[in-house]
Amino acid sequence: MKKTSTRLADGRELIYYDLRDDTVRDAVDRRPLERTVTTSEIRKDVLLGDAVAVASHRQGRTYHPPADQCPLCPSRGERLSEIPDSSYDVVVFENRFPSLAGDSGRCEVVCFTSDHDASFADLTEEQAGLVLDAWTDRTAELSHLPSVQQVFCFENRGAEIGVTLGHPHGQIYAYPFTTPRTALMLRSLAAHKKASGGENLFDAVVAREAAGERVVLATEHWVAFVPYAAHWPYEVHLYPRRRVPDLLGLDEAARTEFPQVYLELLRRFDRIFGEGEPPTPYIAAWHQAPFGALEEFDGVSRDDFALHLELFTIRRTSGKLKFLAGSESGMNVFINDVPPEAAAVRLREVASS
């Protein structure tokens, strides 16, 4: 992998990740952009103990542009975009309309390919491996920013999810705090460790699921399963078999095998609802341990956390979506119409091989 860092016309950082070491990236952003002004702030909800990012400047962000005006395609001729070069493998850049900025963290866009009409599932294993390298490199770099406590790499796919740009891309959020969902995991981890005399809860869950009926895909270094209490109609959790706290901890064997496993899962997701259906909308979310001390989570260290990816769709059946209505939105109690065991059967049935 070759990494080339440059700056856009308004001062934001842009990084090319290339498969070839001899690739030269010297294109200049020719757009007449003024420096980005953001209004992001973090407000704490004192009743719930969580945080809300208020970012009014995002109201003016680019919204469903036509394909010939896509800001994530390469710049060609007089058609200028966020990427100054005429081609690229993988690109990461600071979001022009960030939810988090400055002391409130950082937001980045990850473009998986220059092909506007592709999806992550269309990538080759080599290309998917390069994306993994980019996620890992950005996790390492962002973790050193003084305002950052947790790094979250994710992909929203599909208009049903709320995606406003059709080009295949994901995002990275660098939070200045431990997110509420991670905090819940850490509290459960601490409580189980104390009650069991030292057993790791992640290890226990993975061991149970890897030997059970909800396994979707299992290889030498990875295991994917539908969790016992899945929140979403079709939800898969992907774990490396060797527990590590973050992407930086993956060894070479797990990194080499990941593209094959992940691409297979994504392709199965597109087959869930049968031929002729539109692409399956999904969210793919990496869960990594926060950086820094974890004193508030009694007896738990970063190494107790287990890196994993959660992949789920909001489509519950053909033409129907799972909405977060009263129970989910009002009380955070999910109601799942698809039994996890049935979801696992379906995801095994649609294997591409």
Side-chain angles (χ1 to χ4, degrees), residues 21-330:
D21 289 338
D22 59 353
T23 304
V24 176
R25 298 295 184 186
D26 55 7
V28 176
D29 186 2
R30 295 181 284 132
R31 298 173 298 170
L33 296 180
E34 297 181 358
R35 285 197 169 269
T36 302
V37 177
T38 63
T39 56
S40 177
E41 65 171 307
I42 302 295
R43 297 186 180 183
K44 185 172 182 179
D45 186 320
V46 295
L47 291 178
L48 298 180
D50 59 11
V52 176
V54 179
S56 59
H57 62 277
R58 284 174 52 79
Q59 286 282 39
R61 67 188 184 274
T62 308
Y63 187 80
H64 293 300
D68 63 355
Q69 297 177 30
C70 174
L72 307 185
C73 286
S75 293
R76 288 172 182 156
E78 295 307 309
R79 175 184 164 182
L80 306 179
S81 73
E82 289 279 67
I83 296 93
D85 217 323
S86 59
S87 67
Y88 63 84
D89 291 336
V90 173
V91 165
V92 177
F93 61 87
E94 288 184 76
N95 198 322
R96 190 177 178 187
F97 304 97
S99 302
L100 309 167
D103 293 338
S104 297
R106 175 158 158 150
C107 292
E108 298 181 341
V109 177
V110 184
C111 297
F112 304 137
T113 171
S114 59
D115 184 353
H116 180 85
D117 298 316
S119 69
F120 201 118
D122 295 322
L123 301 182
T124 65
E125 290 184 18
E126 186 179 36
Q127 289 173 311
L130 184 61
V131 176
L132 177 62
D133 289 341
W135 283 331
T136 305
D137 181 73
R138 296 315 301 153
T139 297
E141 292 291 328
L142 293 170
S143 70
H144 291 114
L145 295 180
S147 63
V148 172
Q149 189 167 335
Q150 186 171 2
V151 179
F152 176 46
C153 307
F154 66 100
E155 180 192 1
N156 297 328
R157 193 263 197 123
E160 300 95 328
I161 297 293
V163 176
T164 57
L165 297 176
H167 195 103
H169 73 288
Q171 299 180 69
I172 301 175
Y173 277 21
Y175 298 100
F177 50 81
T178 297
T179 62
R181 187 175 177 86
T182 302
L184 285 174
M185 293 185 202
L186 290 168
R187 291 189 190 102
S188 296
L189 191 62
H192 183 83
K193 187 175 184 179
K194 183 177 181 180
S196 66
E199 182 183 52
N200 184 281
L201 180 57
F202 282 112
D203 291 351
V205 168
V206 173
R208 181 190 70 196
E209 294 290 7
E213 62 182 320
R214 289 178 295 277
V215 170
V216 174
L217 184 62
T219 65
E220 182 179 358
H221 301 287
W222 295 87
V223 60
F225 53 84
V226 178
Y228 172 74
H231 289 57
W232 300 95
Y234 291 91
E235 176 180 343
V236 173
H237 293 190
L238 175 64
Y239 280 79
R241 290 192 183 268
R242 183 178 69 88
R243 171 165 46 90
V244 295
D246 51 42
L247 290 165
L248 284 72
L250 290 175
D251 60 24
E252 194 58 36
R255 299 182 70 82
T256 299
E257 197 177 69
F258 171 77
Q260 173 190 348
V261 175
Y262 187 47
L263 290 172
E264 172 65 17
L265 286 176
L266 293 181
R267 290 162 186 168
R268 291 190 192 191
F269 256 59
D270 272 343
R271 296 187 181 95
I272 292 173
F273 304 103
E275 298 295 329
E277 287 291 319
T280 301
Y282 65 73
I283 292 174
W286 279 110
H287 292 265
Q288 306 191 79
F291 291 91
L294 300 176
E295 289 92 349
E296 64 182 292
F297 306 104
D298 186 33
V300 169
S301 70
R302 288 195 79 250
D303 289 337
D304 290 318
F305 194 86
L307 167 76
H308 62 284
L309 183 141
E310 298 184 7
L311 173 67
F312 59 90
T313 179
I314 62 171
R315 186 179 293 164
R316 56 187 175 87
T317 190
S318 180
K320 297 179 181 178
L321 300 180
K322 164 66 178 176
F323 291 101
L324 300 189
S327 186
E328 292 87 355
S329 294

